[in-house]
């Protein structure tokens, strides 16, 4: 997958895209058993500075809103030109996504769908907004990361990238570990069950006996029950229409 990001703050992405799983996903994958078997990276990141595309001689990309009101609105021209320039770098058609609090709230099914794309182009805007006409012209999918407001779309873009990239085949070491995450199909889209590791007793608290039993069927049943109970207690909305609470 190719991921293009358009932002006024490209430096914000350096740490996140250059660390841990997101970094590893952009590196070639070597097969320890066969030194000649090196596969290309699963993802490549291309962060573009929208300001480079302004035709304003002072480098401005935003202006006060028509009709008055607080803040500044990003102008059409730099955003539009930055999108077209980024897209022209590669012939693969891009699914355009605009991060905005007015978008569809991001959920795991949306992440799964976007993880099936060959290319994402993510626009991170000012929270006050982007001139509506460039949104109409570019027709991006508008996505929100929740009902709260951030200072810009950069952190939401990073949230989207992280959620998508960890689903790409080969990114997580254990191919099962994403399938059973909370909200995933393997977890029946419920919350995850609680987890325990050594020691068996810590400060007088014992790990549940069943998990030390070695009885895989009992363990699976216990985990399924715990996941349901947690979901019922903490997120009953996830069970709506699925069981009586
Ligand atoms: N930009 C500012 N707030 C946002 C949010 N909640 N989701 C996506 N983009 C945003």
């Amino acid at each position: 997958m190719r991921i293009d990001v358009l932002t006024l703050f490209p430096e914000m992405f350096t740490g996140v895209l250059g660390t841990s799983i997101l970094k590893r996903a952009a590196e070639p994958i070597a097969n320890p058993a066969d030194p000649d078997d090196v596969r290309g990276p699963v993802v490549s990141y291309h962060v573009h500075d929208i300001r480079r595309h302004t035709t304003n001689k002072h480098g401005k990309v935003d202006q006060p809103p028509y009709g008055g009101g607080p803040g500044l609105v990003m102008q059409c021209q730099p955003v539009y030109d930055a999108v077209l320039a980024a897209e022209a770098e590669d012939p693969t058609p891009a699914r355009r996504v605009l991060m905005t609090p007015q978008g569809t709230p991001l959920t795991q099914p949306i992440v799964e769908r976007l993880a099936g794309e060959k290319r994402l182009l993510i626009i991170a805007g000012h929270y006050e907004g982007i001139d509506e006409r460039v949104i109409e012209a570019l027709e991006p999918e508008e996505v929100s990361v929740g009902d709260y407001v951030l200072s810009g779309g950069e952190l939401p873009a990073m949230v989207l990238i992280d959620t998508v990239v960890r689903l790409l085949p080969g990114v997580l070491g254990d191919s099962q570990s994403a399938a059973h995450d909370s909200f995933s199909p393997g977890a029946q889209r419920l919350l995850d069950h609680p987890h325990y590791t050594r020691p068996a007793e810590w400060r007088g608290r014992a790990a549940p006996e069943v998990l030390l039993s070695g009885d895989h069927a009992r363990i699976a049943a216990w985990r399924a029950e715990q996941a349901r109970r947690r979901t019922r207690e903490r997120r009953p909305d996830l069970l709506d229409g699925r069981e009586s609470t």
Side-chain angles (χ1 to χ4, degrees):
M1 173 183 277
R2 173 178 169 125
I3 300 181
D4 293 89
V5 183
L6 277 73
T7 170
L8 291 172
F9 304 102
E11 66 279 8
M12 283 181 75
F13 290 83
T14 313
V16 169
L17 300 182
T19 308
S20 187
I21 288 172
L22 293 183
K23 176 185 185 198
R24 238 190 17 240
E27 293 171 345
I29 306 166
N31 179 349
D34 177 359
D36 293 331
D37 179 14
V38 179
R39 307 211 183 136
V42 172
V43 67
S44 63
Y45 310 116
H46 306 262
V47 182
H48 310 269
D49 187 347
I50 296 172
R51 202 178 300 279
R52 281 195 41 231
H53 294 274
T54 181
T55 52
N56 178 292
K57 60 176 182 283
H58 305 293
K60 266 191 90 75
V61 292
D62 44 22
Q63 293 288 337
Y66 279 139
L72 297 169
V73 176
M74 278 174 82
Q75 294 172 279
C76 294
Q77 176 273 319
V79 176
Y80 190 76
D81 288 1
V83 168
L84 294 200
E87 289 185 350
E89 287 183 7
D90 188 296
T92 311
R95 156 81 58 185
R96 297 171 180 161
V97 179
L98 171 65
M99 306 314 299
T100 163
Q102 275 132 58
T104 306
L106 186 63
T107 57
Q108 197 66 21
I110 295 176
V111 172
E112 289 160 14
R113 174 169 56 75
L114 293 177
E117 298 282 347
K118 290 205 161 28
R119 183 174 182 193
L120 298 178
L121 181 139
I122 306 171
I123 306 165
H126 272 294
Y127 87 83
E128 294 92 345
I130 298 185
D131 189 312
E132 191 66 20
R133 294 167 294 181
V134 75
I135 302 175
E136 287 167 15
L138 293 170
E139 298 186 316
E141 180 166 342
E142 297 182 53
V143 174
S144 162
V145 294
D147 290 346
Y148 44 82
V149 174
L150 293 113
S151 317
E154 284 74 18
L155 290 170
M158 291 183 227
V159 168
L160 179 63
I161 293 169
D162 188 287
T163 58
V164 165
V165 169
R166 64 195 300 286
L167 292 190
L168 300 179
V171 169
L172 294 185
D174 175 354
S175 61
Q176 288 297 298
S177 56
H180 292 277
D181 282 346
S182 294
F183 312 113
S184 296
Q188 286 154 41
R189 304 217 177 274
L190 304 180
L191 298 186
D192 201 1
H193 54 76
H195 298 261
Y196 297 87
T197 187
R198 294 174 188 192
E201 188 176 316
W202 177 77
R203 293 183 162 231
R205 294 167 191 268
E209 172 277 327
V210 57
L211 298 179
L212 287 76
S213 70
D215 182 339
H216 297 298
R218 263 184 74 214
I219 291 171
W222 182 86
R223 286 178 167 166
E225 169 52 29
Q226 290 290 316
R228 280 209 163 257
R229 175 186 303 184
R230 278 206 159 176
T231 308
R232 208 181 300 122
E233 287 169 5
R234 301 182 184 188
R235 291 291 305 277
D237 56 299
L238 295 177
L239 289 166
D240 282 353
R242 292 174 60 181
E243 70 165 24
S244 47
T245 48

